[in-house]
Amino acid sequence: MFKYVLEMKNITKKFPGTMALDNVDLQILPGEVHALVGENGAGKSTLMKIATGIYQPTSGEILFEGNKLTSLTPVKALETGISMIAQELNPIREMTVAENIFLHREPMKYRILTDVTKQEEMTRELLAKFKMSFNPSLPMKSLTIAQQQMIEIVKAVSYNSQVVIMDEPTSSLDSGETRELFNTINNLKNNGISIIYISHRLEEINEICDRLTVFRDGKYIDTREVKKTSRDEIIKMMVGRSIKKKNYTKNTIIGKEILAVHNFTRKGFFKNISFNVHEGEVLGFSGLVGAGRSETMKSLFGLDPYDSGKVMMYGKEIRISNTRDAISRGIAMVTEDRREYGLVLCRSILENTSLSSLRMSQRSIVNRKRERKEVNRRVAELSVKTPHLGINVENLSGGNQQKVILAKWLMASPKLLILDEPTRGIDIGAKEDIYNLIVKFRENGMAIILISSELPEIMSLSNRIIVLHEGEMTGEFTCEEIAAGNVTQEDVLNKSFGDK
């Protein structure tokens, strides 16, 4: 008999110039939900890539149900009973839901053809277990990020795995979808399946997890029972210090109006959205996934078209047909999906940071000396953790990738910065860094539009909060109302559900 379904002993992983993991341990009991926590760069993802055969450890051993695993590959990991749902989704967008779920293991007929009818029937049965009613023949590109996330969970569970790794599984889900996920996790747990749950949302860990293991700077810190460990203790183990709550709107000086939007409409996405934002102001947008927040801002930034409405900057009407129009007007946007829209993953920090700043070029020739000087200044200003600027951004932690995107837009000197879920999937220490940067930008006179699904975040950072529901505005609150206790998280959430 085995005690641990998965045991990783004395795992060390070295990369050129970096010790990613230094003699760490992880022990997973059968049928438990085990949280793996730590700051970005702590080594969590590296360890999970070793558990799934993507990386080979420099030293150490892996045991599954008491048996030692050697030369683990991704295919062998799946066959053994270990599957993983990555934070950054990588579906084949042109393929259907059914094709994505059963990729490389399609039911066949006549040994040469995919049995499409059977494949779609199997997909419906799987989806029904999760109380989903997607058409199996829908292309993945037609689904929202949240829906794609749920399909990835269905796919992972369909392998009949004994250990399912979930990396930030709720980062794109609304409260209802999160509740469905938790119900699914409890069902898996009741059937003896173990979950390794990676999340920076400590309230989720407290609700759904049995034990937790903390890593910091590639080292093992401790394993504890969740119910016997306070939030402050977890944070201190993660970051090595206590983090106190701050009032980020204190001493705000609001300047002149930069942007005013009137009756902004895109049919099927949002309708009659009106708001303004000033120098030195953080304007928050709250609402459930699918409420139209991101869609509104993507149209404002020129990523998507809009049908009607008026956009004014400094009192003069402007027309934004594409992102070039927006950037030339001093509007920048950090999108929700940083990997798809914000970064060129296979290129360096240097190249990504200077990408939007055409001032580096003269007659189509980049001034490399000036480029490096400016990028160095921005990278240092935002405290991006990197040994040098030549590192490809795909090798950075989520928090540092986000800082690279911010550095890129700072080099373009925007007047208005739109931040769509800027702390999605990053740890509590990196969040604190991003919050402090938002305050710094605001104090320097920049106007900021902040979209966030985390109510404590948006309520602590915003001078005003606008709430959307199904593409329409349902409420507006001020930081003074929040500070006076006249507005609670429940009030904002009620507006998110459509209360007028």
Side-chain angles (χ1 to χ4, degrees):
M1 290 293 292
F2 57 87
K3 181 177 181 181
Y4 301 110
V5 62
L6 177 66
E7 188 170 10
M8 305 183 76
K9 295 181 176 181
N10 308 122
I11 301 294
T12 294
K13 180 62 179 177
K14 296 179 181 178
F15 294 106
T18 304
M19 176 73 82
L21 292 170
D22 186 4
N23 202 39
V24 302
D25 296 328
L26 182 66
Q27 298 168 326
I28 306 299
L29 293 165
E32 77 164 336
V33 183
H34 193 112
L36 183 57
V37 297
E39 293 189 276
N40 288 103
K44 307 184 302 296
S45 296
T46 300
L47 188 69
M48 293 302 95
K49 287 179 179 178
I50 290 172
T52 52
I54 298 171
Y55 291 162
Q56 297 299 311
T58 304
S59 62
E61 62 180 4
I62 305 171
L63 289 88
F64 188 86
E65 297 183 344
N67 300 311
K68 187 175 180 179
L69 301 179
T70 57
S71 303
L72 196 61
T73 65
V75 172
K76 188 175 178 180
L78 284 172
E79 291 173 348
T80 300
I82 305 170
S83 62
M84 180 172 179
I85 304 158
Q87 177 189 346
E88 305 292 349
L89 305 179
N90 291 298
I92 301 177
R93 294 168 56 82
E94 303 301 323
M95 294 177 70
T96 68
V97 169
E99 288 168 338
N100 269 270
I101 289 176
F102 288 100
L103 187 64
H104 299 314
R105 52 194 181 118
E106 299 85 351
M108 307 298 289
K109 61 181 178 180
Y110 312 123
R111 297 184 178 180
I112 56 172
L113 299 174
T114 300
D115 190 335
V116 176
T117 301
K118 184 176 181 180
Q119 181 172 263
E120 292 188 352
E121 181 183 337
M122 293 165 64
T123 300
R124 286 190 188 93
E125 291 175 359
L126 277 170
L127 293 172
K129 292 179 181 178
F130 288 79
K131 300 179 181 178
M132 299 181 202
S133 56
F134 298 124
N135 186 335
S137 63
L138 279 175
M140 288 293 286
K141 66 181 180 182
S142 69
L143 304 182
T144 66
I145 291 176
Q147 291 169 335
Q148 290 177 23
Q149 176 79 289
M150 296 303 287
I151 295 302
E152 287 294 311
I153 293 169
V154 171
K155 180 178 179 179
V157 172
S158 73
Y159 284 99
N160 295 318
S161 300
Q162 292 304 303
V163 175
V164 178
I165 302 164
M166 298 185 176
D167 190 357
E168 297 288 348
T170 65
S171 60
S172 299
L173 307 184
D174 64 27
S175 57
E177 291 165 326
T178 297
R179 182 53 48 198
E180 287 297 328
L181 171 64
F182 286 178
N183 291 337
T184 300
I185 289 174
N186 283 324
N187 288 335
L188 295 173
K189 177 182 172 181
N190 292 336
N191 288 320
I193 296 173
S194 303
I195 309 293
I196 299 177
Y197 194 90
I198 302 174
S199 178
H200 298 303
R201 296 179 175 178
L202 300 186
E203 66 278 4
E204 292 181 359
I205 290 171
N206 186 63
E207 179 175 353
I208 199 69
C209 297
D210 302 299
R211 296 191 303 149
L212 64 86
T213 293
V214 181
F215 285 1
R216 185 171 72 240
D217 297 330
K219 293 182 172 61
Y220 171 85
I221 301 301
D222 201 0
T223 297
R224 297 188 184 183
E225 291 183 37
V226 171
K227 298 301 182 186
K228 296 180 180 179
T229 310
S230 71
R231 174 189 173 89
D232 288 344
E233 287 175 311
I234 296 173
I235 292 172
K236 194 167 184 178
M237 285 191 289
M238 286 172 59
V239 303
R241 66 187 189 279
S242 298
I243 293 181
K244 297 180 180 179
K245 291 184 178 180
K246 296 181 181 178
N247 179 3
Y248 295 100
T249 59
K250 190 177 181 180
N251 300 324
T252 299
I253 300 175
I254 304 296
K256 61 184 177 182
E257 180 183 272
I258 289 182
L259 178 83
V261 175
H262 304 284
N263 298 320
F264 205 45
T265 299
R266 184 186 179 199
K267 293 177 183 177
F269 295 92
F270 52 87
K271 182 172 69 175
N272 295 332
I273 305 298
S274 299
F275 63 90
N276 60 6
V277 61
H278 302 77
E279 291 177 348
E281 181 180 30
V282 178
L283 176 63
F285 271 75
S286 186
L288 304 178
V289 172
R293 301 165 304 165
S294 298
E295 290 78 6
T296 301
M297 295 309 147
K298 285 168 75 173
S299 291
L300 184 60
F301 187 57
L303 282 169
D304 293 328
Y306 61 94
D307 297 313
S308 61
K310 185 183 292 186
V311 180
M312 313 278 290
M313 284 202 76
Y314 296 106
K316 295 182 179 179
E317 185 173 359
I318 62 171
R319 178 73 190 179
I320 298 175
S321 301
N322 51 51
T323 55
R324 182 174 295 178
D325 289 342
I327 294 168
S328 68
R329 299 287 185 177
I331 302 173
M333 181 174 182
V334 177
T335 56
E336 177 183 12
D337 191 334
R338 59 178 172 258
R339 287 182 167 237
E340 183 169 354
Y341 293 106
L343 298 167
V344 183
L345 295 172
C346 62
R347 308 305 291 183
S348 69
I349 295 171
L350 178 69
E351 293 167 300
N352 272 272
T353 306
S354 63
L355 194 59
S356 296
S357 184
L358 299 180
R359 294 174 300 139
M360 296 294 104
S361 302
Q362 292 180 340
R363 298 178 182 178
S364 301
I365 298 174
V366 176
N367 183 331
R368 296 297 183 189
K369 184 177 180 180
R370 184 182 176 190
E371 176 190 37
R372 183 169 291 275
K373 180 180 177 181
E374 286 291 313
V375 171
N376 260 319
R377 183 166 71 89
R378 294 301 185 184
V379 165
E381 181 182 356
L382 271 63
S383 301
V384 179
K385 294 179 182 177
T386 177
H388 55 83
L389 299 180
I391 295 288
N392 284 357
V393 293
E394 64 187 345
N395 296 319
L396 298 178
S397 67
N400 283 303
Q401 287 180 351
Q402 199 74 311
K403 289 180 183 180
V404 169
I405 299 173
L406 288 171
K408 174 183 73 174
W409 289 121
L410 284 183
M411 288 185 63
S413 302
K415 304 296 183 185
L416 170 65
L417 178 61
I418 302 168
L419 301 173
D420 191 354
E421 303 287 2
T423 64
R424 176 188 168 211
I426 65 176
D427 62 75
I428 196 161
K431 280 184 179 182
E432 183 78 5
D433 291 342
I434 299 294
Y435 296 164
N436 289 330
L437 287 171
I438 290 172
V439 172
K440 182 178 180 180
F441 299 158
R442 186 202 71 205
E443 289 175 345
N444 289 335
M446 191 185 295
I448 295 170
I449 294 175
L450 172 65
I451 300 172
S452 178
S453 298
E454 296 190 31
L455 285 176
E457 176 174 280
I458 205 161
M459 292 180 75
S460 66
L461 286 165
S462 304
N463 299 102
R464 286 183 294 133
I465 299 172
I466 290 173
V467 187
L468 300 188
H469 171 73
E470 294 184 350
E472 297 186 55
M473 293 175 58
T474 54
E476 183 172 344
F477 304 104
T478 67
C479 61
E480 289 81 10
E481 290 175 313
I482 295 168
N486 297 326
V487 175
T488 65
Q489 291 186 32
E490 287 73 20
D491 294 324
V492 177
L493 192 58
N494 286 337
K495 294 293 183 182
S496 298
F497 283 109
D499 290 356
K500 296 290 185 177

